[in-house]
Amino acid sequence: VRWMMYWIVFALFMATETFTDLLISWFPFYYEVKMAFVIWLLSPYTRGAGLLYRRFVHPALARREKDIDAFLVRARERGYETVLRFGKRGLNLAATAAVQAATKSQGALAGRLRSFSAQDLRSLPER
């Protein structure tokens, strides 16, 4: 549980840090403060990640739990529909390619056989 809280808080930190780096990275000791913050999150003595998770992240997730569950159900349904749609398209493309390849190779084979004369065909050994 401790590591789950750490990774969730750290992921949120990294997501916000992507944008804040552009705006406030010019402050003196910015990178040192950022490093100290990550150590504070990770430290088993300070338990910073657990503190932030219990105080901010968990209440926010608990308030939106029904919305998150509904979103996940919709995403699952859309995912199944998308897999089916692309699967059907893939099978149609594969079937079309197979039919076209068979048609082209059959035409090439027939053309090759027509190029033989009756004399050539009689000279073939019988089986």
Side-chain angles (χ1 to χ4, degrees):
V1 172
R2 184 178 86 116
W3 285 108
M4 178 207 59
M5 289 188 284
Y6 167 75
W7 284 112
I8 290 172
V9 171
F10 185 74
L12 291 172
F13 167 70
M14 291 300 292
T16 57
E17 184 235 357
T18 303
F19 301 107
T20 58
D21 259 2
L22 298 172
L23 302 174
I24 60 174
S25 63
W26 55 271
F27 277 120
F29 300 109
Y30 169 73
Y31 293 103
E32 288 81 3
V33 170
K34 190 166 70 168
M35 180 85 80
F37 177 72
V38 171
I39 292 171
W40 178 76
L41 285 177
L42 187 59
S43 174
Y45 300 110
T46 61
R47 297 182 184 174
L51 177 75
L52 290 178
Y53 181 84
R54 286 187 195 96
R55 188 160 298 167
F56 298 107
V57 177
H58 182 72
L61 291 175
R63 279 192 307 271
R64 295 176 178 88
E65 186 174 1
K66 290 182 182 177
D67 296 334
I68 293 169
D69 289 342
F71 174 78
L72 290 174
V73 167
R74 282 194 313 269
R76 185 182 327 142
E77 290 170 356
R78 288 181 186 164
Y80 288 144
E81 291 169 4
T82 302
V83 166
L84 287 175
R85 187 174 62 240
F86 282 122
K88 286 179 183 176
R89 274 192 199 164
L91 288 175
N92 285 338
L93 285 173
T96 303
V99 168
Q100 286 176 351
T103 306
K104 286 181 184 177
S105 65
Q106 185 179 14
L109 181 63
R112 187 105 163 131
L113 288 175
R114 276 190 218 118
S115 70
F116 288 122
S117 66
Q119 179 83 13
D120 294 335
L121 292 176
R122 278 188 234 118
S123 66
L124 290 175
E126 292 184 26
R127 290 188 184 191

